[in-house]
Amino acid sequence: MAVLWLEDVDADDVGTVGGKAASLGELIGAGLPVPPGFAVTAGTYRTFIEEAGIDEELFSAVDVDPEDSAALRAAEERAEELILETPFPDEVREEILERYRKMGDEDDEAFVAVRSSATAEDLPDSSFAGQQETFLNVREDDLLRRVKECWASLFTQRAIYYRQQRGFPHADVDIAVVVQRMVDAEKSGVMFTSHPSTGDPQITIEAAWGLGEAVVSGTVSPDNYVYDRERGEVEDVTVADKKVEMVKDAETGETVQLDVDDERRTARVLSDAEIDELVALGERVEDHYGAPQDVEWAIHEGEIYMLQSRPITTIQEDAGEEDDADAGGTGGETPRKSAVGDAASGPPGAAGAGSPGDDADVLVDGLGASPGVVSGAVRIVHKLDHLDQVQEGDVMVTEMTMPDMVPAMKRAAGIVTDEGGMTSHAAIISRELGVPAVVGTGNGTRLLEDGQQVTIDGDKGTVRAGVDDEAEPGEEFEPVEAARPETPVKPMTATEVKVNVSIPEAAERAAATGADGVGLLRIEHMVLSLGKTPERYIDEHGARAYQDELIEGVRRVADEFYPRPVRVRTIDAPTDEFSELEGGEGEPNEHNPMLGWRGIRRSLDKPGPFRQELAAFARLFDMGYDNLEVMFPLVNDAADVEAITGHMRDAGIDPETHRWGVMIETPASALQIEELANAGIDFASFGTNDLTQYTLAVDRNNEHVADRFDELHPAVLKLIGDTIETCRELGVDTSICGQAGSKPEMVDFLVDEGVSSISANIDAVRDVQHEVKRTEQRLLLDSVR
Ligand code: PEP
Ligand code: MG
């Protein structure tokens, strides 16, 4: 049989219909109302290539050198051509079309989603193996082609690369396809089957008119219904003003946004009977999975459908033991207050020991990017290599680190890169992990040898031959303890001293420094480590899942610091980083991505993912994280700010009542500070990594000009000084969150100029606190002398 109805399969059928189809079948089997559909089995793909006789040619076309990118590209094209141009056997074509037609009405063709469904025989990590194709709103004309496109997704360059690298035969891999009816909803929304923070037996339903995208993306404020499962009654109903709705254009199948007519705008979306039905569904789903769920649902012609169900990830583990201050409330959550204070002392870090060696021993040198001296065996890692080869205590040597290398970076005793400056990914992440690092060596991967014993000095920026006895990676090295100040007394300063965080895993280490808050929380790492572009991730997993990922990361930091403020920044990754991800094939190829389509420019041009970031922040505000502030990168002028505030309002974040601000990273933004202040910013934060590169025309990631990268250049200082002066006149707070905030000379200058706060690297916080205090006291003394 070429095709199987979803209702005829279950979790045991992964080998036949792939994981996606098997889990949908399982839900249908549990009596849950999943939209109908069928799977084109993995065997059908196999018979297709074998009967048409293209199998041998296909497998030999993709048997190429994985390091040869031209050959990889040609292999992908040839495989796609072979699959797309080979006609379907008649009986398979008929079977697929016959099933499809059964899903439509008499005279209306069904709109379906067509998705690849990976089988268990493939690599364990199928996200790297491709096979993630999804096509929405497909009709009969395109259906067969889309099925073949899913098959062809077995042979993307990335998938070919991985199988070739690991010696996994292409002939052993099969793929199935799911074809499922799309629900043209009149009303839809989301439901939490238990309280999303405390886990209490309380169901929260959000509902709006039309398709679910409007609720999930935060475009519309939905009605909110709270149901007490213990008492079995609706406890609270809040009817929102629902200005817009998303509907499907009957002709094109595209989703369009319409104004809601006056009558329905303030009308209740769900009747009591519908709430009862949703509640019953919610309880069944939770029972089936044995854990609270976050469900996307839709209602079409009186029928409820379950589109997706995911476990709620935000329930606090210790929620049950806490006093629930807002039990019986309207769904607001109180963030847990961190117990991490600034008073405890701990042992000094183990990685700082070590004696300087002979210059003659220096094998390669670069920039000392993360302090500490450590010895270990070299492990060379190339871009798409497998990272499990980096063992605890190795010195990882690579061209440049990437987000998916972080687990390996954590295991490594030290890190050496060919490329990058002090503000590169490798430098930032190693500092946060507390792993000594030398970056921008130019030729480390060529000069060092796998297995060779070396000692790296992350202060001096050298890699020496041999082992330094005092620099063995200490088993007792405890990153959090190492970040804790040795003396419990924190210098009291009028200028606040905060800390920068780029990976949520570093939250505890950052909080242990006793900093006054987080001056910059980057979200790039949270996004890039998903392995897919935001657009691709949202296509495949839904907008809410994307928001959930961000919420999980931001929350980890916001919890750790509460009630100290945390400034979270919207995404700022350059196109060359997006192009490394799945779905990044179409990224523009820019001559200098640093001058290109990044930061707020990209967010405003292509606001889909940007809206989800804001929707995630809005949800965090709703959960009670009133310590969050939102910051926007690479802003140039007031026009950018006008566009930003429009998006904030759309997402339900009122710029008047929430604290938000911009980075000062371009000379334009410094020169336009008065206009930015008048446009309503609460704070301006100097991103000196970018401000220096744009003022001096020195690419921050280019090791050839690294010696010209000078954050203390008079031109940079003049822009900063003038901006602080204007901000003080206009009542706007100023801060620094670039790398230079960790330098004593910059700290002196900023305190002199009257900056409101300074945000430093984890390892520099305590020194900066002392430096600030010294400068403040000098200023006081000067004033009385
Ligand atoms: C900066 O430009 O100084 C900054 C903090 O932003 P990023 O390093 O993320 O570009
Ligand atoms: Mg920047």
Side-chain angles (χ1 to χ4, degrees):
M1 186 91 82
V3 291
L4 290 170
W5 288 116
L6 291 177
E7 64 218 47
D8 295 332
V9 301
D10 61 27
D12 294 333
D13 295 315
V14 176
T16 321
V17 296
K20 217 169 275 169
S23 74
L24 287 168
E26 180 75 16
L27 290 175
I28 296 175
L32 295 163
V34 172
F38 60 87
V40 180
T41 63
T44 307
Y45 154 77
R46 176 63 46 174
T47 322
F48 168 78
I49 54 168
E50 285 177 1
E51 289 194 353
I54 58 168
D55 50 342
E56 307 237 314
E57 189 180 349
L58 180 62
F59 300 139
S60 75
V62 295
D63 186 10
V64 293
D65 173 4
E67 302 304 336
D68 178 348
S69 42
L72 272 180
R73 201 167 328 122
E76 176 185 75
E77 275 167 22
R78 181 67 192 132
E80 188 179 63
E81 194 177 38
L82 273 172
I83 292 175
L84 295 188
E85 287 179 5
T86 302
F88 267 104
D90 286 344
E91 45 320 344
V92 174
R93 154 202 294 273
E94 276 320 305
E95 256 189 277
I96 295 177
L97 290 178
E98 188 200 322
R99 294 281 168 119
Y100 166 79
R101 288 178 191 137
K102 283 196 178 135
M103 292 198 292
D105 295 337
E106 295 271 293
D107 31 38
D108 256 339
E109 282 184 73
F111 281 92
V112 291
V114 180
R115 299 190 161 93
S116 44
S117 181
T119 59
E121 287 80 27
D122 195 11
L123 304 174
D125 188 352
S126 62
S127 63
F128 280 122
Q131 311 178 26
Q132 298 291 329
E133 250 0 308
T134 292
F135 303 99
L136 301 178
N137 292 317
V138 177
R139 283 188 287 189
E140 180 163 335
D141 275 356
D142 290 334
L143 177 60
L144 294 165
R145 181 180 171 85
R146 295 304 194 198
V147 170
K148 281 195 198 164
E149 280 174 331
C150 287
W151 289 347
S153 73
L154 268 185
F155 302 102
T156 60
Q157 291 180 48
R158 205 172 177 100
I160 298 171
Y161 179 93
Y162 269 87
R163 280 188 227 113
Q164 290 291 89
Q165 272 272 316
R166 304 184 86 190
F168 198 97
H170 297 286
D172 287 2
V173 181
D174 278 340
I175 187 165
V177 179
V178 179
V179 178
Q180 191 183 22
R181 202 174 79 200
M182 299 197 59
V183 179
D184 189 8
E186 291 99 37
K187 24 180 122 166
S188 49
V190 295
M191 161 167 59
F192 291 106
T193 64
S194 290
H195 191 288
S197 170
T198 60
D200 284 347
Q202 170 193 296
I203 292 186
T204 308
I205 303 172
E206 290 185 339
W209 303 114
L211 301 173
E213 281 100 312
V215 178
V216 172
S217 65
T219 311
V220 67
S221 310
D223 286 0
N224 186 288
Y225 306 86
V226 180
Y227 180 92
D228 185 325
R229 288 170 67 179
E230 266 164 6
R231 284 193 282 135
E233 59 187 35
V234 178
E235 190 179 80
D236 193 35
V237 176
T238 312
V239 179
D241 179 3
K242 301 160 288 289
K243 298 192 182 80
V244 292
E245 66 184 322
M246 305 274 202
V247 296
K248 191 178 70 196
D249 184 294
E251 285 302 305
T252 61
E254 302 278 313
T255 302
V256 290
Q257 183 175 317
L258 299 179
D259 288 339
V260 174
D261 50 82
D262 285 347
E263 208 177 301
R264 287 186 310 143
R265 258 176 74 156
T266 48
R268 213 175 121 155
V269 174
L270 293 178
S271 65
D272 283 343
E274 285 169 329
I275 295 175
D276 286 344
E277 266 191 78
L278 277 166
V279 164
L281 170 70
E283 292 186 330
R284 274 217 317 273
V285 185
E286 185 171 309
D287 268 1
H288 181 72
Y289 286 107
Q293 299 288 306
D294 172 353
V295 178
E296 277 179 40
W297 57 267
I299 298 183
H300 175 62
E301 295 181 345
E303 295 285 325
I304 297 187
Y305 293 94
M306 211 182 91
L307 307 181
Q308 188 175 328
S309 181
R310 295 159 45 88
I312 300 177
T313 50
T314 51
I315 294 177
Q316 292 158 13
E317 274 163 29
D318 53 357
E321 296 143 33
E322 272 182 13
D323 282 345
D324 186 5
D326 64 9
T330 54
E333 297 164 45
T334 315
R336 180 162 44 98
K337 177 153 179 11
S338 159
V340 178
D342 53 11
S345 65
S355 55
D358 219 328
D359 266 4
D361 295 345
V362 172
L363 300 171
V364 290
D365 62 2
L367 301 167
S370 175
V373 181
V374 73
S375 296
V378 166
R379 198 62 60 210
I380 310 261
V381 173
H382 290 293
K383 261 192 179 163
L384 294 171
D385 262 356
H386 265 276
L387 297 162
D388 33 6
Q389 56 187 306
V390 177
Q391 306 288 325
E392 209 71 49
D394 283 348
V395 171
M396 174 171 160
V397 180
T398 183
E399 288 110 10
M400 185 57 199
T401 62
M402 297 198 294
D404 62 353
M405 293 184 181
V406 170
M409 292 170 79
K410 274 191 213 156
R411 283 196 300 273
I415 293 163
V416 178
T417 67
D418 289 351
E419 299 164 15
M422 291 295 283
T423 64
S424 59
H425 179 264
I428 291 170
I429 304 298
S430 338
R431 274 196 296 269
E432 290 195 6
L433 294 173
V435 179
V438 177
V439 304
T441 59
N443 49 13
T445 52
R446 269 165 287 134
L447 294 186
L448 301 174
E449 276 169 35
D450 225 28
Q452 181 179 13
Q453 294 291 334
V454 295
T455 299
I456 80 168
D457 185 329
D459 298 283
K460 294 204 180 62
T462 54
V463 181
R464 286 181 279 117
V467 173
D468 183 330
D469 289 343
E470 288 178 56
E472 294 281 10
E475 272 167 35
E476 70 282 13
F477 178 67
E478 254 294 329
V480 174
E481 290 312 316
R484 221 183 277 289
E486 284 171 49
T487 55
V489 185
K490 172 183 164 187
M492 289 307 295
T493 58
T495 313
E496 287 177 312
V497 178
K498 300 184 184 172
V499 63
N500 298 332
V501 179
S502 297
I503 49 174
E505 293 93 319
E508 203 190 340
R509 230 172 93 71
T513 61
D516 294 316
V518 174
L520 167 63
L521 169 57
R522 293 184 175 93
I523 64 164
E524 289 77 56
H525 184 77
M526 299 173 209
V527 173
L528 298 175
S529 60
L530 296 172
K532 301 176 184 176
T533 59
E535 290 83 357
R536 175 64 66 91
Y537 192 88
I538 291 167
D539 266 0
E540 286 173 4
H541 307 270
R544 197 164 177 93
Y546 184 64
Q547 294 171 16
D548 289 343
E549 292 288 347
L550 296 177
I551 287 175
E552 202 177 311
V554 175
R555 209 180 139 111
R556 188 156 168 193
V557 182
D559 270 340
E560 207 57 73
F561 278 83
Y562 194 84
R564 292 176 275 175
V566 172
R567 237 169 232 183
V568 57
R569 187 179 72 180
T570 58
I571 199 161
D572 179 9
T575 48
D576 55 334
E577 287 181 19
F578 281 120
S579 67
E580 299 276 347
L581 305 176
E582 233 183 86
E585 303 77 19
E587 285 292 316
N589 193 357
E590 299 180 318
H591 285 302
N592 188 338
M594 281 293 155
L595 287 173
W597 202 41
R598 54 173 287 214
I600 203 67
R601 307 166 182 186
R602 181 186 181 104
S603 295
L604 293 178
D605 288 353
K606 204 174 174 190
F610 181 56
R611 290 199 186 109
Q612 304 312 328
E613 292 166 32
L614 295 177
F617 302 156
R619 281 173 61 196
L620 284 158
F621 286 130
D622 283 348
M623 290 177 191
Y625 287 95
D626 51 8
N627 59 330
L628 280 185
E629 304 175 347
V630 185
M631 181 155 71
F632 299 92
L634 226 69
V635 164
N636 263 342
D637 48 37
D640 285 341
V641 169
E642 297 297 335
I644 287 169
T645 45
H647 281 289
M648 287 172 76
R649 287 198 183 89
D650 288 348
I653 303 175
D654 181 356
E656 307 299 325
T657 53
H658 289 97
R659 269 180 70 76
W660 62 280
V662 297
M663 303 275 295
I664 301 295
E665 289 166 300
T666 66
S669 61
L671 297 168
Q672 291 285 301
I673 189 62
E674 204 169 322
E675 288 74 9
L676 294 174
N678 292 335
I681 58 170
D682 294 307
F683 58 82
S685 182
F686 299 105
T688 40
N689 307 338
D690 280 317
L691 186 60
T692 306
Q693 79 164 344
Y694 297 135
T695 305
L696 303 179
V698 171
D699 183 335
R700 61 191 265 191
N701 284 340
N702 182 341
E703 65 271 15
H704 301 296
V705 286
D707 56 340
R708 292 173 189 270
F709 187 86
D710 177 13
E711 296 119 320
L712 299 167
H713 190 286
V716 179
L717 296 184
K718 169 123 179 67
L719 286 170
I720 295 177
D722 290 354
T723 305
I724 295 178
E725 190 181 334
T726 310
C727 284
R728 287 175 57 149
E729 281 161 19
L730 299 175
V732 170
D733 280 350
T734 48
S735 183
I736 182 172
C737 59
Q739 166 67 14
S742 302
K743 293 192 170 172
E745 302 89 333
M746 180 61 95
V747 171
D748 290 350
F749 170 78
L750 291 170
V751 174
D752 244 339
E753 297 291 316
V755 79
S756 330
S757 66
I758 290 178
S759 193
N761 303 328
I762 296 176
D763 53 88
V765 168
R766 186 44 56 106
D767 286 348
V768 170
Q769 286 167 338
H770 284 292
E771 192 63 36
V772 168
K773 182 157 186 186
R774 214 176 356 254
T775 311
E776 286 179 352
Q777 283 179 336
R778 179 176 53 73
L779 287 173
L780 268 176
L781 276 175
D782 286 350
S783 71
V784 295
R785 270 177 182 151

